[in-house]
């Protein structure tokens, strides 16, 4: 029966109208998995020696155990935002003599094949092999490794349960940042008690039964949760959803584009996919911490310019790149109204501008790294408003992939709405700010590079009407192709 399920899914994928697009996406996903898998293997091999060099007086296995809690919290967050949970059309199977238990076991079994499960395997298997080569007890290392894998699979099924709730984000994200901050400033070493538990797990191999029991419990909870709603009446019954009304009258001050702005705010507030995207765009604010905290990047200012653009460009990069796909479900109706295309595009531009402005205000704490860094962030914000926003809108004219607003897939793992053309359009977003800063920086000095990057944004704002008019023409030329593409049912 499992073989039959696999055959049906392959036929569904191969015969779909979007087969070529899906094939390209899967090729990119495979290449990405190979890349990150290779990094994990490399880190797994070197983890023993890195731990030994960082804390020479402590056994590397103890050091790794002390910091495993951060790995698992980080994994939970990444899974919540990026893991694509398995989807299967079960309605036709409900009317034929196939056991529900078989279908549910198949669905849950598919989750174990997630790349995120293999990531832990790639990371901790080489580390375990190094431990064995160094003479550590075989039974202890083997049971410890199995415990890590069982905990990873437990997190996989835990994510399955909580993926429909934002509670996990509000708990895990502050907890992870808080624990790291307390550890960094020496206030409280949260790694010690957690590390003690994992060290005990290593020293007493028979305790590996605990992660196994945890995995069994979470699997059973998932099984019961799915089986509870696995009925034909539940699948076809009409779902009634209450919509919370919000007073958006203050948007009327924006004049003719106010209806579009209100519509976008409601779209983000009421639908799963755009809400997830907005939440993830907030994480871009912390992107600079990767670069500004490392002295090595001080000698690569072009990379700093790239990071500075990202700090304030989260919403623009995530939400903006899917304009007009966000409106795909009612795009035909929208285009049938007596509405100037210019107002539609201008409302999207203002939405991105406001998001960049809010991100810039929230980035104020970066002053701690120096006024030169904050000046670069300010220049990056102007670039995002004056040029990057128009590049993003232009890219939207070439994007004709619909987006399902309330899809259960995660914002970053969901390739619905993805177009390989977006990757080509993204190149100017990354390379242009680096070039605008680096060339004058190399010829004159650092301050001149910041000034040129900022002026490029100012020029874009001055010529806003020109850019919008050109982009409007591109949208108008492809209007009916876009309507046809959005109307195609998958």
């Amino acid at each position: 029966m499992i073989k039959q399920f696999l055959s049906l899914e392959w036929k569904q994928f191969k015969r779909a109208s979007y087969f070529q697009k899906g094939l390209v996406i899967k090729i990119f996903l495979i290449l990405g998995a190979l890349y990150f898998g290779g990094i994990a293997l490399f880190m797994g091999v070197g983890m023993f020696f890195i731990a030994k060099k960082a804390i020479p007086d402590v056994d590397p296995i103890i050091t790794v155990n002390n910091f495993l809690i951060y790995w698992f919290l980080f994994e939970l967050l990444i899974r919540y935002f990026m893991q694509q949970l398995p989807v299967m059309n079960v309605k036709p199977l409900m009317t034929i003599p196939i056991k529900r238990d078989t279908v549910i076991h198949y669905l849950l079994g598919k989750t174990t094949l997630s790349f995120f499960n293999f990531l832990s395997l790639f990371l901790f298997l080489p580390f375990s092999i190094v431990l064995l080569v160094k003479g550590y007890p075989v039974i202890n290392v083997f049971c410890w490794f199995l415990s890590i894998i069982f905990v990873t699979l437990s997190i996989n099924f835990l994510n399955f349960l909580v993926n429909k709730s934002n509670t996990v984000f509000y708990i895990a994200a502050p907890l992870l940042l808080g624990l790291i901050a307390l550890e960094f400033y020496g206030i409280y070493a949260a790694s010690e008690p957690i590390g003690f538990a994992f060290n005990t797990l290593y020293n007493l191999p028979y305790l590996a039964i605990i992660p196994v029991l945890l995995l069994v419990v979470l699997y059973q909870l998932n099984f019961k949760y799915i089986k509870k709603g696995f009925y034909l009446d539940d699948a076809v019954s009409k779902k009634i959803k209450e919509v919370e009304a919000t007073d958006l009258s203050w948007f009327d001050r924006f004049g003719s584009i106010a209806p579009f702005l209100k519509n976008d705010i409601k779209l983000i507030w009421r639908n799963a996919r755009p809400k997830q995207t907005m939440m993830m765009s907030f994480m871009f604010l912390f992107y600079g911490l990767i670069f500004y905290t490392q002295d090595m990047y001080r000698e690569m200012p072009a990379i700093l310019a790239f990071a500075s653009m990202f700090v304030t460009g989260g919403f623009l990069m995530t939400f903006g790149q899917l304009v007009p796909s966000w409106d795909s479900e009612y795009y035909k109706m929208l285009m049938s109204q007596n509405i100037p295309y210019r107002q539609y595009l201008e409302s999207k531009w203002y939405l991105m501008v406001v998001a960049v402005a809010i991100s810039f205000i929230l980035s104020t704490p970066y002053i701690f790294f120096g006024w030169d860094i904050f000046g670069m962030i300010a220049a990056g914000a102007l670039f995002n408003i004056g040029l990057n926003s128009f590049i993003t809108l232009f890219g939207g004219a070439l994007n004709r992939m619909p987006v399902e607003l309330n899809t259960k897939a995660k914002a970053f793992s969901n390739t619905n709405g993805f177009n390989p053309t977006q990757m080509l359009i993204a190149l100017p977003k990354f390379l242009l700010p680096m070039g605008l800063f680096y060339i004058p920086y190399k010829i004159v000095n650092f301050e001149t590079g910041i000034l040129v990057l900022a002026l490029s944004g100012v020029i874009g704002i001055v010529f806003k009407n020109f850019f919008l008019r050109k982009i409007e023409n591109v949208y108008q030329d492809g209007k009916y192709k876009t309507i046809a593409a959005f109307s195609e049912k998958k």
Side-chain angles (χ1 to χ4, degrees):
M1 186 55 66
I2 300 300
K3 182 180 178 180
Q4 188 66 28
F5 288 154
L6 291 173
S7 175
L8 289 173
E9 290 203 42
W10 170 247
K11 289 177 181 178
Q12 181 186 21
F13 171 69
K14 186 174 65 174
R15 296 172 180 175
S17 60
Y18 52 93
F19 171 70
Q20 291 181 341
K21 173 219 169 193
L23 191 61
V24 171
I25 292 172
K26 291 193 181 305
I27 291 173
F28 278 113
L29 291 177
I30 291 172
L31 292 176
L34 291 174
Y35 173 75
F36 288 108
I39 293 176
L41 283 171
F42 178 78
M43 290 297 297
V45 173
M47 191 157 50
F48 179 91
F49 307 100
I50 294 172
K52 188 70 175 176
K53 184 177 180 180
I55 312 178
D57 300 331
V58 180
D59 191 329
I61 184 65
I62 295 177
T63 302
V64 171
N65 282 333
N66 287 343
F67 290 95
L68 271 178
I69 180 61
Y70 297 109
W71 168 258
F72 289 132
L73 284 174
F74 173 74
E75 186 180 347
L76 182 60
L77 282 175
I78 293 299
R79 284 177 183 273
Y80 177 71
F81 285 111
M82 300 187 68
Q83 184 175 6
Q84 175 73 61
L85 297 179
V87 178
M88 186 176 183
N89 185 12
V90 297
K91 290 182 183 179
L93 303 178
M94 293 180 179
T95 58
I96 57 180
I98 298 178
K99 291 183 178 180
R100 289 179 297 162
D101 291 6
T102 303
V103 179
I104 298 172
H105 283 307
Y106 172 72
L107 281 173
L108 292 176
K110 284 177 64 178
T111 67
T112 62
L113 300 178
S114 169
F115 167 72
F116 298 96
N117 296 328
F118 287 99
L119 193 61
S120 290
L121 182 68
F122 293 154
L123 184 64
F124 292 105
L125 180 59
F127 177 72
S128 300
I129 293 174
V130 173
L131 289 177
L132 294 176
V133 172
K134 292 293 182 179
Y136 285 73
V138 176
I139 296 298
N140 297 63
V141 172
F142 179 73
C143 291
W144 176 84
F145 171 71
L146 288 181
S147 299
I148 297 299
I149 299 302
F150 287 137
V151 171
T152 298
L153 292 174
S154 298
I155 293 175
N156 173 75
F157 290 116
L158 178 63
N159 178 57
F160 197 99
L161 288 174
V162 301
N163 79 93
K164 294 182 180 181
S165 171
N166 293 328
T167 305
V168 66
F169 172 77
Y170 296 128
I171 294 176
L175 180 62
L176 177 61
L177 295 175
L179 291 177
I180 292 174
L182 291 173
E183 187 94 33
F184 180 79
Y185 290 106
I187 299 173
Y188 174 70
S191 59
E192 293 182 2
I194 304 296
F196 176 78
F198 283 107
N199 286 322
T200 304
L201 203 62
Y202 169 77
N203 293 322
L204 304 175
Y206 60 85
L207 291 181
I209 191 65
I210 296 176
V212 175
L213 293 175
L214 177 64
L215 175 61
V216 171
V217 169
L218 287 171
Y219 185 92
Q220 289 297 323
L221 288 175
N222 277 278
F223 183 87
K224 291 179 181 179
Y225 175 79
I226 297 175
K227 191 172 183 178
K228 185 178 179 181
F230 203 92
Y231 294 95
L232 187 60
D233 291 342
D234 184 69
V236 301
S237 61
K238 185 177 180 180
K239 302 294 188 299
I240 300 175
K241 181 179 179 182
E242 293 184 4
V243 177
E244 182 181 349
T246 305
D247 184 15
L248 300 176
S249 59
W250 63 277
F251 274 99
D252 293 336
R253 68 188 67 184
F254 289 97
S256 58
I257 66 171
F260 298 102
L261 290 173
K262 291 180 183 179
N263 186 63
D264 285 330
I265 297 299
K266 292 175 183 177
L267 180 143
I268 294 172
W269 185 256
R270 295 175 179 176
N271 297 283
R273 175 95 187 266
K275 188 181 293 185
Q276 293 167 3
T277 301
M278 185 187 67
M279 290 172 60
M280 279 304 298
S281 68
F282 175 76
M283 303 303 292
F284 278 70
L285 284 169
F286 302 98
Y287 193 82
L289 296 176
I290 300 175
F291 297 92
Y292 303 148
T293 55
Q294 305 294 325
D295 293 334
M296 59 179 292
Y297 292 113
R298 294 277 182 169
E299 301 175 1
M300 295 185 288
I303 301 297
L304 293 182
F306 169 80
S308 301
M309 181 269 298
F310 255 69
V311 169
T312 59
F315 184 84
L316 184 147
M317 293 286 183
T318 56
F319 185 88
Q321 70 171 347
L322 292 179
V323 173
S325 293
W326 294 116
D327 304 312
S328 59
E329 294 186 3
Y330 52 90
Y331 195 76
K332 184 184 296 185
M333 182 275 294
L334 195 64
M335 292 297 103
S336 66
Q337 307 299 310
N338 186 21
I339 301 172
Y341 223 131
R342 169 65 177 272
Q343 293 179 7
Y344 174 79
L345 294 174
E346 195 170 7
S347 69
K348 305 296 183 184
W349 184 80
Y350 273 111
L351 192 66
M352 289 187 283
V353 168
V354 171
V356 171
I358 293 174
S359 298
F360 175 67
I361 294 172
L362 294 176
S363 69
T364 305
Y366 279 110
I367 294 176
F368 173 80
F369 295 101
W371 287 101
D372 54 340
I373 293 297
F374 189 67
M376 187 174 285
I377 292 175
L382 283 172
F383 170 81
N384 283 328
I385 292 174
L387 285 181
N388 212 357
S389 58
F390 296 117
I391 296 173
T392 301
L393 284 177
F394 174 76
L398 307 177
N399 178 28
R400 299 190 178 100
M401 297 298 173
V403 166
E404 297 176 13
L405 295 177
N406 273 310
T407 179
K408 294 180 176 62
K410 294 303 171 188
F412 278 77
S413 63
N414 186 1
T415 53
N416 183 243
F418 174 84
N419 189 329
T421 308
Q422 293 175 3
M423 300 188 68
L424 298 176
I425 297 297
L427 290 177
K429 299 179 186 179
F430 303 146
L431 300 179
L432 190 56
M434 297 172 66
L436 287 172
F437 169 82
Y438 186 74
I439 294 175
Y441 157 75
K442 204 66 178 175
I443 297 175
V444 188
N445 54 30
F446 186 88
E447 289 74 16
T448 305
I450 292 179
L451 182 63
V452 170
L453 182 60
L455 284 176
S456 67
V458 173
I459 292 173
I461 296 173
V462 171
F463 288 94
K464 167 195 156 188
N465 291 331
F466 171 80
F467 286 128
L468 283 178
R469 186 164 57 251
K470 293 296 182 181
I471 295 172
E472 180 187 3
N473 292 336
V474 177
Y475 273 83
Q476 288 284 11
D477 291 341
K479 176 179 177 179
Y480 295 103
K481 291 182 180 178
T482 303
I483 292 174
F486 286 168
S487 300
E488 182 180 0
K489 300 296 182 183
K490 294 184 178 182

